[in-house]
Amino acid sequence: MQMPLVTVTDLGIIIIMLGLIVQTIWLILAKRGRDRYINDITHYHRPSSPLSRYCGWQMSAARNAVIDGFFLETILVLLILVVAIVLANIDYFVQDLPYLLFVVILSFLSTVQTASRVAGVAKIERAIYDNISASTDKIGQARALTDGLLRQGPMLDGRQWFAVFRVALKDDSVGWSVRDVLMEKADELDRLAEEARARGKTPRTGQRSKPGADIE
């Protein structure tokens, strides 16, 4: 058996630090992906980069967020196990399992939070889609929906707009109707975005596009 390079306590601290570092990196990548994804969908484009596509996949269903969280936890456990074996031995690792459990619980809570948020957006998106799909005047229904959201101003829950722009990406009559209305309301959306940025709530999106432009 190799001579441990660290004590049991030191290994526990290393486990926690590794967990925090990996999760921080993961969150930074997720935020960059979300920003790029928002930029893409608010320009009526399909996700254009790996991080943007990752965010689009994650936001498509709560189960995807759960899969993503499970993948992160697997990476965490394997990385910590390798580091523990290199710096100490398996006995030290077993003694420090409570530290590992703490890291896994933190990751699990983050996964639950993300999955809950995704489920909420998906529910809103389905409601918007079904509401417009059931109407014989899809353009009129989409316009009424958009006007209602605009009247609520920058204090509106951002998930509503997020869901609207996701619906606008759909390649069917509902998506086309929503997209045309959003392009028609470009000036009002720009003003709303400016107000939201003034409140520090949203990044710059840049809504201006020609009506009828295709999704790339």
Side-chain angles (χ1 to χ4, degrees):
M1 181 179 293
Q2 70 175 28
M3 180 68 67
L5 301 177
V6 295
T7 65
V8 173
T9 301
D10 289 341
L11 181 60
I13 295 174
I14 291 172
I15 287 174
I16 292 177
M17 292 300 296
L18 272 176
L20 293 176
I21 290 171
V22 171
Q23 290 190 63
T24 298
I25 293 173
W26 201 272
L27 288 173
I28 290 173
L29 291 175
K31 184 181 184 304
R32 289 183 179 178
R34 185 169 61 252
D35 289 345
R36 293 179 184 180
Y37 182 69
I38 290 174
N39 184 67
D40 283 337
I41 66 174
T42 53
H43 285 83
Y44 316 107
H45 298 166
R46 299 290 184 187
S48 59
S49 68
L51 285 177
S52 179
R53 287 192 290 272
Y54 155 73
C55 180
W57 169 81
Q58 184 193 52
M59 295 300 298
S60 296
R63 66 176 177 275
N64 291 350
V66 173
I67 292 171
D68 181 64
F70 176 77
F71 182 66
L72 171 60
E73 291 191 7
T74 300
I75 290 176
L76 272 174
V77 172
L78 291 177
L79 178 62
I80 289 172
L81 178 59
V82 169
V83 170
I85 292 175
V86 170
L87 295 181
N89 54 52
I90 196 67
D91 291 333
Y92 277 30
F93 176 74
V94 171
Q95 293 181 59
D96 281 330
L97 281 179
Y99 294 98
L100 177 61
L101 182 61
F102 173 74
V103 170
V104 170
I105 288 175
L106 284 181
S107 177
F108 174 76
L109 292 176
S110 177
T111 298
V112 170
Q113 184 181 34
T114 301
S116 176
R117 185 169 62 249
V118 170
V121 172
K123 182 178 180 180
I124 294 170
E125 183 180 335
R126 281 195 304 272
I128 291 172
Y129 185 91
D130 291 344
N131 182 268
I132 297 174
S133 179
S135 175
T136 55
D137 180 11
K138 292 179 174 54
I139 289 285
Q141 191 67 18
R143 185 177 291 112
L145 169 69
T146 304
D147 287 341
L149 296 180
L150 286 169
R151 280 195 295 271
Q152 296 183 54
M155 297 306 294
L156 177 70
D157 184 350
R159 294 179 303 172
Q160 298 278 348
W161 283 118
F162 190 86
V164 168
F165 277 101
R166 277 181 57 87
V167 171
L169 287 181
K170 295 186 180 297
D171 195 19
D172 57 19
S173 59
V174 174
W176 300 331
S177 299
V178 173
R179 186 159 69 251
D180 284 346
V181 169
L182 290 174
M183 290 176 175
E184 173 189 303
K185 302 285 185 179
D187 289 338
E188 294 174 66
L189 289 169
D190 279 341
R191 284 195 296 272
L192 179 63
E194 288 295 340
E195 292 178 24
R197 281 195 294 274
R199 294 173 178 269
K201 292 183 64 175
T202 62
R204 179 174 295 276
T205 57
Q207 300 296 338
R208 295 190 178 279
S209 299
K210 294 181 180 179
D214 293 331
I215 296 176
E216 295 179 2

